[in-house]
């Protein structure tokens, strides 16, 4: 059994009520921080813990906080990024739905550390019910003196507000989130300046993921060193993984970083192996739709033959050729019956729809990708399209304002790299592709084995 | 501050961008720019054609920047070394971006009023690819109007944000912006309202393509048949320094005075632009100079002789 931090009290009835949470030791971190620690001490503990951002990029949290500017007369803002919209990721929802006080607990400690007196939780528009849960929890926190003026008599003030997004994926990008919070259209800003220098209303701002902020309370209560003991190397602590796809037990799991992918996938404690008897694993998207997809042999072992571990480093071993990324922890599993072309088209459709349209390569390129993939998937593709897909991703990648362009390119580039034969199949047997019933009677696997035989 | 661009070193003030520094040097090494416009605050960074490689960040921190950077938005550091045309990756990336700008563009130059003075045309001649493998349907929009003077042809728009930011600048509140997102994004003054400002006509000139055109001039004449003349009138609103486009002794249209790199000298008001089309309204100063090889200057628009190839069999010149 791995250690649990976030899901420690998972399953406790009414955990989202203040009384229950408080009885289980909630808000002790805030007491400790405000009564006996200075903001610098809190920051130091987070630094020792080695906590890295759980929103996707994995940037060390304490380092991000240390970049904050402290101009005269300007407030500092702490923003909690709860815009979780990455396909395959649903961990923040779970945390906020069942344990909202844990997030508020962590946010108070974090805001105290960076000296913020106003904080916003930017919640994805579709999570209306979570907004209600959060608002109730915040009210309870105010009522019990954890928020507001002069918290615990320490002289420290903090207000937390919940803000609802309108359901745009791009508003998860930190500068787009800031724009959206200011009441503008969710267009990412050009960097520099980074939010730590000029963010919300031009003031220094820190944007962190829900999970990153929540665990700060545990770190304060138990010490950074304790947290750093979990995990391997620079990947410390635990991480929530949203597991979905063809597995026995889809759901949100908390793992200790350093768990092997093999164990996560097959042990009964986690995914519990494949969903259907007799259908083997085909591929895994390890960190949400934006990271490269890997076939079975590469997700279980690296090219060097070592076991692949659930850490930032191990998953990215091999770069983009043979590696992937931990990302936001959206673990999507495909068995042999799934069609990678259809899956890639599906992702591309998402990125086409969600591009903000601000810069030319992403605005035009995502549409092009989707249109080509649509044709391939519907039996209207030709030979040239496959190379064309890779060429289009090269045109987008690295030329855009925000990382969305890369996120839209990587799934396509990696699918072609690792599953080229399936694309070729779609070109060669157009009629069959047109007439099959997806995910139903004609598993891709049967087609493929036949096709590979012919090719050999 | 010293900055070196493609081997040319120049001294510039702190706060200068790479693009401005390159324009100071001049010549081939100036990156093209479709969205940056020096009269409009905050423009730049959107079109991605001015991307350059920073091979050395500064004297103090000589590390190169990992990605290509937009030269219009990146300020120079002392000792920065920039590669534009000397770096094949930059040229490749630029080609790719130009190709992407064109895939959804209708390429209806033969019926477009902007033809001849279109920055997208110029850009594609200079930096574009000969052919593209784009074979999908282009996205299409209905043609609309922004009030009774300005036509909006959204199909042609490259979403450079020049008009959006210009309107932000000339009016106290938001009137004009982008609806929707991605490649479905549309420029709009919310449901075809006119932009309420004495200066709104200027968005026609700053639009680098034929998306915004002058309804009082549409389809009247090709721009290269007209003679651009510097003119002045005493105007209460603007400086009255404009360019009148004449055919014989008639004025066909009035625009801002041009400046190098597709930019303009100063804004003019709507009265001068739309209502003053009689020669008697203006004091004509004289012909305006346009770059030698521009389409506007069609009499000078010749291929240098050494490139002429005569194919006697096919009777081609
Ligand atoms: C297109 C795009 C979408 C993103 N969506 C999210 C998101 O939904 N939730 C999130 O926490 N971070 C998201 N991020 C990452 C944020 O920009 C930012 O890095 C993160 O909130 C930082 O928090 P962390 O340091 O705690 O990870 C997204 C980034 C990009 C480029
Ligand atoms: S990369 Fe895409 S999402 Fe990001 S700013 Fe450009 S158009 Fe918008
Ligand atoms: S209408 Fe013209 S100026 Fe406005 S965004 Fe489109 S191309 Fe740019």
């Amino acid at each position: 059994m791995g250690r649990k931090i976030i899901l420690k009290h998972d399953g406790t009835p009414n955990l989202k009520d203040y009384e229950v949470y408080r009885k289980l030791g909630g808000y002790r971190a805030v007491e400790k921080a405000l009564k006996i620690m200075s903001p610098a001490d809190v920051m130091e503990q987070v630094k020792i813990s080695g906590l890295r951002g759980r929103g996707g990029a994995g940037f060390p949290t304490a380092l991000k906080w240390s970049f904050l500017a402290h101009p005269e007369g300007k407030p500092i803002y702490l923003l909690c990024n709860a815009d979780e919209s990455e396909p395959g990721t649903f961990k923040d929802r779970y945390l906020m739905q069942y344990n909202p006080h844990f997030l508020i607990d962590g946010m108070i400690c974090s805001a105290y550390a960076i000296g913020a007196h106003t904080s916003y939780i930017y919640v994805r528009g579709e999570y209306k019910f979570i907004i209600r849960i959060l608002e109730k929890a915040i009210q309870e926190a105010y009522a019990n003196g954890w928020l507001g003026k002069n918290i615990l008599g320490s002289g420290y003030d903090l207000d937390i507000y919940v803000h609802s997004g309108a359901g745009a994926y791009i508003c998860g990008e930190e500068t787009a989130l800031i724009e959206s919070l200011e009441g503008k259209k969710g267009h990412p800003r050009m960097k520099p300046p980074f939010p730590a220098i000029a963010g919300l209303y031009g003031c220094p701002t820190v944007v962190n993921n829900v999970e990153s902020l929540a665990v700060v309370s545990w770190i304060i209560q138990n010490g950074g060193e304790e947290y750093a003991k979990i995990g391997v190397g620079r990947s410390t602590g635990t991480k929530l993984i949203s597991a979905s796809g063809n597995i026995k037990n889809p759901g949100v799991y908390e793992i200790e970083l350093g768990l092997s992918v093999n164990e996560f996938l097959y042990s009964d404690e986690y995914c519990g192996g494949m969903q259907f008897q007799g259908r083997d694993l085909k591929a895994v998207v390890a960190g949400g739709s934006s990271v490269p997809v890997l076939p079975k042999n590469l997700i279980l072992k690296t090219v060097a033959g070592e076991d692949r571990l659930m850490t930032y480093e191990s998953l990215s071993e091999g770069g983009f050729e043979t590696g992937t990324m931990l990302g936001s922890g959206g673990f999507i599993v495909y068995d042999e019956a799934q069609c990678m072309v259809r899956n890639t088209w599906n992702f591309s459709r998402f990125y086409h729809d969600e591009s903000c349209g601000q810069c030319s390569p992403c605005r035009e390129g995502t549409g092009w990708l989707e249109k080509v993939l649509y044709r391939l998937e519907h039996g209207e593709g030709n030979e040239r399209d496959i190379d064309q897909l890779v060429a289009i991703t090269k045109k987008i990648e690295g030329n855009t304002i925000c990382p969305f362009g890369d996120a839209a390119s990587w799934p396509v580039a990696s699918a072609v790299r690792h599953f080229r034969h399936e694309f070729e199949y779609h070109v060669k047997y157009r009629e069959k592709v047109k007439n099959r019933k997806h995910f139903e009677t004609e598993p891709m696997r049967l087609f493929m084995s036949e096709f590979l035989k012919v090719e050999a | 501050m010293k900055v070196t661009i493609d081997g040319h070193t120049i001294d510039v003030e702190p706060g200068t961008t790479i693009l401005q520094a390159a324009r100071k040097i001049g010549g081939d090494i100036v990156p093209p720019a479709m969205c940056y416009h020096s009269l409009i605050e905050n423009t730049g960074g959107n079109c991605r054609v001015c991307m350059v490689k920073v091979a050395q960040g500064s004297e103090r921190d000589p590390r190169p920047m990992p990605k290509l950077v937009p030269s219009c938005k990146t300020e120079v550091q002392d000792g920065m070394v920039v590669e534009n045309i000397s770096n094949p990756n930059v040229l490749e990336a630029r080609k790719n971006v130009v190709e992407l700008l064109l895939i959804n563009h209708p390429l209806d130059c033969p019926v477009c009023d902007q033809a001849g003075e279109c920055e997208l045309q110029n850009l594609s001649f200079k930096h574009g690819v000969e052919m593209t493998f784009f074979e999908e349907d282009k996205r299409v929009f209905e043609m609309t109007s922004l009030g009774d003077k300005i036509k909006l042809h959204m199909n042609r728009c490259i979403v450079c944000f020049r008009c959006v930011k210009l309107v932000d600048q000339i009016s106290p509140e938001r009137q004009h912006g982008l609806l929707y997102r991605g490649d479905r994004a549309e420029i709009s003054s919310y449901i075809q309202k006119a932009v309420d400002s004495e200066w709104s006509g200027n968005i026609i000139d700053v639009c680098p393509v034929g998306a915004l055109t002058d309804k009082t001039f549409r389809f009247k004449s090709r721009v290269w048949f007209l003679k651009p003349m510097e003119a002045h009138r005493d105007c209460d609103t603007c400086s009255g320094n404009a360019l009148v486009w004449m055919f014989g002794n008639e004025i066909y249209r009035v625009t801002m005075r041009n400046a190098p790199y597709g930019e303009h000298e100063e804004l003019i008001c709507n009265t001068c632009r739309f209502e003053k089309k009689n020669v008697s309204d203006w004091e004509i100063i004289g012909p305006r100079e346009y770059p030698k090889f521009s389409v506007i200057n069609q009499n000078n628009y010749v291929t240098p002789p050494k490139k002429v190839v005569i194919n006697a069999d096919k009777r081609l010149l």
Side-chain angles (χ1 to χ4, degrees):
Chain A
M1 274 289 273
R3 284 181 76 168
K4 301 277 185 270
I5 290 175
I6 301 162
L7 302 186
K8 190 163 156 204
H9 302 298
D10 195 31
T12 312
N14 298 329
L15 182 59
K16 61 172 173 286
D17 290 346
Y18 172 74
E19 300 301 332
V20 180
Y21 180 72
R22 176 73 177 144
K23 259 199 204 100
L24 290 168
Y27 289 108
R28 274 213 219 119
V30 177
E31 278 174 321
K32 183 171 171 189
L34 294 190
K35 284 196 175 142
I36 59 171
M37 293 169 84
S38 70
D41 293 339
V42 177
M43 189 102 93
E44 185 61 23
Q45 287 306 316
V46 176
K47 189 171 167 199
I48 293 171
S49 76
L51 175 66
R52 290 169 71 175
R54 304 299 195 217
F59 194 80
T61 304
L63 190 59
K64 189 189 245 180
W65 292 357
S66 71
F67 291 150
L68 267 178
H70 294 275
E72 274 299 303
K74 276 193 181 175
I76 292 173
Y77 292 105
L78 174 70
L79 308 185
C80 171
N81 188 342
D83 189 65
E84 186 175 56
S85 327
E86 178 115 338
T89 310
F90 40 87
K91 64 184 176 72
D92 296 342
R93 178 179 80 177
Y94 193 86
L95 197 164
M96 291 185 290
Q97 185 175 357
Y98 294 106
N99 204 351
H101 282 287
F102 190 50
L103 171 62
I104 297 169
D105 200 348
M107 280 178 74
I108 302 172
C109 300
S110 312
Y112 176 67
I114 62 172
H117 298 290
T118 312
S119 181
Y120 295 89
I121 310 178
Y122 186 96
V123 186
R124 170 182 180 181
E126 286 88 341
Y127 287 177
K128 282 273 178 306
F129 66 107
I130 287 189
I131 294 177
R132 272 179 232 125
I133 294 174
L134 284 173
E135 277 185 338
K136 178 164 170 279
I138 289 174
Q139 264 170 21
E140 286 172 340
Y142 270 109
N144 290 284
W146 302 108
L147 288 173
K149 293 254 172 297
N150 196 9
I151 302 169
L152 299 180
S154 63
Y156 176 68
D157 313 330
L158 176 67
D159 290 306
I160 298 185
Y161 302 94
V162 182
H163 183 91
S164 166
Y169 171 59
I170 191 60
C171 290
E173 201 279 340
E174 53 188 6
T175 52
L177 187 150
I178 290 172
E179 286 275 299
S180 172
L181 205 52
E182 287 181 4
K184 302 185 199 143
K185 201 172 164 112
H187 280 170
R189 291 182 183 167
M190 257 148 284
K191 284 166 266 185
F194 288 92
I197 311 296
L200 188 62
Y201 305 118
C203 303
T205 304
V206 166
V207 185
N208 273 125
N209 177 252
V210 172
E211 194 187 341
S212 326
L213 289 177
V215 294
V216 171
S217 77
W218 193 94
I219 291 171
I220 297 311
Q221 211 172 339
N222 299 275
E225 247 164 77
E226 197 59 29
Y227 192 80
K229 278 187 197 149
I230 313 172
V232 282
R234 288 184 56 233
S235 300
T236 58
T238 65
K239 167 109 188 70
L240 289 182
I241 304 286
S242 335
S244 62
N246 302 121
I247 44 175
K248 261 211 195 89
N249 315 316
V252 177
Y253 297 101
E254 182 167 14
I255 60 158
E256 287 187 12
L257 288 171
L259 185 78
S260 77
V261 174
N262 194 44
E263 191 183 342
F264 180 68
L265 198 55
Y266 291 107
S267 86
D268 285 333
E269 193 189 336
Y270 303 108
C271 301
M274 304 305 292
Q275 181 182 17
F276 299 107
Q277 279 268 309
R279 282 199 202 163
D280 200 4
L281 172 68
K282 182 196 251 178
V284 171
V285 172
S289 63
S290 306
V291 310
V293 56
L294 285 187
K296 180 182 177 184
N297 57 337
L298 287 175
I299 188 69
L300 296 178
K301 293 229 186 288
T302 63
V303 168
E306 290 160 20
D307 276 346
R308 221 184 263 277
L309 309 178
M310 300 286 278
T311 62
Y312 292 97
E313 292 79 20
S314 175
L315 279 172
S316 55
E317 204 166 307
F320 285 124
E321 290 304 312
T322 61
T324 178
M325 285 187 304
L326 182 58
S328 57
F331 197 85
I332 314 172
V333 182
Y334 303 93
D335 71 22
E336 287 171 313
Q338 309 311 327
C339 170
M340 293 320 284
V341 179
R342 188 177 181 82
N343 174 63
T344 312
W345 168 56
N346 194 23
F347 280 168
S348 268
R349 211 158 48 123
F350 173 80
Y351 287 109
H352 177 200
D353 194 56
E354 295 290 345
S355 161
C356 86
Q358 194 184 188
C359 59
S360 2
C362 166
R363 178 182 66 240
E364 308 292 344
T366 50
W368 192 357
L369 280 178
E370 200 233 306
K371 286 170 183 170
V372 174
L373 279 158
Y374 176 90
R375 280 195 291 107
L376 280 167
E377 165 57 22
H378 292 82
E380 292 157 24
N382 54 44
E383 296 272 314
R384 209 179 48 216
D385 287 338
I386 305 173
D387 288 327
Q388 194 56 35
L389 279 178
V390 182
I392 303 169
T393 62
K394 294 252 164 62
K395 294 182 211 289
I396 305 174
E397 210 183 313
N399 291 338
T400 54
I401 295 176
C402 84
F404 183 102
D406 304 342
S409 317
W410 291 336
V412 178
S414 61
V416 176
R417 187 180 311 126
H418 299 302
F419 297 96
R420 200 183 172 93
H421 49 275
E422 291 196 18
F423 288 83
E424 281 168 0
Y425 177 89
H426 275 68
V427 172
K428 215 156 187 174
Y429 297 97
R430 293 162 165 221
E431 288 311 311
K432 276 193 186 173
V433 170
K434 262 184 212 164
N435 296 329
R436 81 193 148 144
K437 292 201 179 69
H438 276 288
F439 309 123
E440 288 172 27
T441 49
E442 298 203 75
M444 192 65 198
R445 168 185 47 152
L446 300 180
F447 276 166
M448 287 314 297
S449 57
E450 193 183 306
F451 174 60
L452 289 177
K453 244 184 270 159
V454 177
E455 290 292 287
Chain B
M1 285 188 169
K2 274 204 170 38
V3 54
T4 307
I5 305 174
D6 285 338
H8 303 264
T9 305
I10 187 172
D11 238 331
V12 293
E13 296 287 306
T16 313
T17 62
I18 298 176
L19 184 70
Q20 284 162 343
R23 285 182 177 181
K24 269 200 176 149
I25 298 170
D28 277 352
I29 62 131
V30 183
M34 296 295 285
C35 61
Y36 172 77
H37 194 298
S38 54
L39 279 188
I40 314 171
E41 288 160 20
N42 260 328
T43 40
N46 297 108
C47 70
R48 318 307 277 181
V49 298
C50 73
M51 307 273 276
V52 293
K53 172 84 191 165
V54 175
Q56 175 178 324
S58 66
E59 192 75 66
R60 253 190 356 194
D61 180 5
R63 285 176 302 168
M65 294 191 184
K67 283 184 175 179
L68 302 186
V69 298
S71 60
C72 64
K73 278 279 180 187
T74 312
E75 289 182 7
V76 300
Q77 311 275 335
D78 197 22
M80 188 183 256
V81 177
V82 178
E83 293 170 358
N84 179 24
I85 52 172
S86 57
N87 187 321
N89 293 342
V90 171
L91 296 178
E92 179 67 28
R94 188 165 297 151
K95 257 199 161 112
N96 287 336
V97 174
V98 176
E99 182 183 358
L100 287 170
L101 277 175
L102 289 173
I103 60 173
N104 277 312
H105 191 81
L107 302 175
D108 57 350
C109 312
V111 295
C112 175
D113 273 300
Q114 191 85 2
E117 54 177 11
C118 174
E119 286 175 54
L120 189 60
Q121 273 184 336
N122 297 347
L123 181 79
S124 2
F125 278 127
K126 204 156 175 207
H127 302 282
V129 288
E130 290 79 33
M131 79 176 287
T132 169
F133 291 110
F134 182 81
E135 48 185 75
E136 328 300 327
D137 291 341
K138 294 183 188 244
R139 56 143 167 65
V140 283
F141 300 94
E142 291 288 318
M143 231 192 292
T144 56
S145 294
L146 304 178
D148 61 345
K149 292 286 194 289
I150 305 172
K151 192 92 193 158
L152 169 61
H153 229 300
M154 189 57 212
N155 285 347
R156 296 175 186 152
C157 170
I158 58 162
V159 198
C160 69
F161 285 88
R162 276 185 187 181
C163 60
V164 174
K165 288 173 181 167
L166 180 63
V167 173
D168 278 353
Q169 193 172 321
I170 58 180
S171 54
E173 72 224 16
R174 197 105 214 238
Q175 296 194 47
H176 180 70
L178 198 70
L179 299 180
Y180 316 117
R181 62 178 182 235
D183 60 5
R184 293 144 346 274
E186 262 180 77
I187 294 295
S188 175
S189 314
Y190 204 59
I191 323 289
Q192 307 186 16
K193 258 178 29 196
V195 174
D196 175 24
S197 164
E198 246 310 285
W199 305 91
S200 64
N202 293 305
I203 61 177
I204 299 167
D205 292 353
V206 299
C207 180
V209 293
L212 296 171
T213 45
D214 182 345
K215 278 195 176 177
T216 64
F217 172 66
R218 271 163 68 82
F219 305 130
K220 291 254 165 66
S221 169
R222 280 307 194 183
V223 289
W224 57 86
F225 293 137
L226 305 177
K227 290 278 173 259
M229 306 293 254
E230 274 172 40
H232 174 83
R233 65 177 279 273
D234 291 324
C235 175
D236 298 337
T237 320
C238 67
S239 68
N241 293 333
L243 212 54
V244 296
W245 296 72
M246 304 190 62
F247 190 79
N249 57 1
E250 272 179 63
I251 294 179
Y252 272 57
R253 69 164 177 171
V254 183
T255 66
M256 284 193 262
R257 288 192 186 168
N258 62 311
Y261 306 110
E263 297 194 352
H264 305 88
E265 275 183 4
E266 58 188 320
L267 304 184
I268 59 169
C269 69
N270 284 0
T271 315
C272 289
R273 177 186 301 272
F274 297 122
E275 280 152 34
K276 302 294 171 194
K277 301 232 176 156
N278 291 324
V279 180
S280 57
D281 293 332
W282 296 92
E283 173 200 340
I284 310 274
I285 298 163
R288 180 75 172 178
E289 226 178 272
Y290 260 80
K292 193 170 172 198
F293 291 113
S294 71
V295 183
I296 305 287
N297 231 351
Q298 58 147 354
N299 293 335
N300 295 326
Y301 193 57
V302 287
T303 321
K306 62 175 187 283
K307 279 203 186 149
V308 174
V309 182
I310 299 176
N311 183 335
D313 296 340
K314 290 195 182 157
R315 292 202 229 155
L316 287 178
L317 184 73

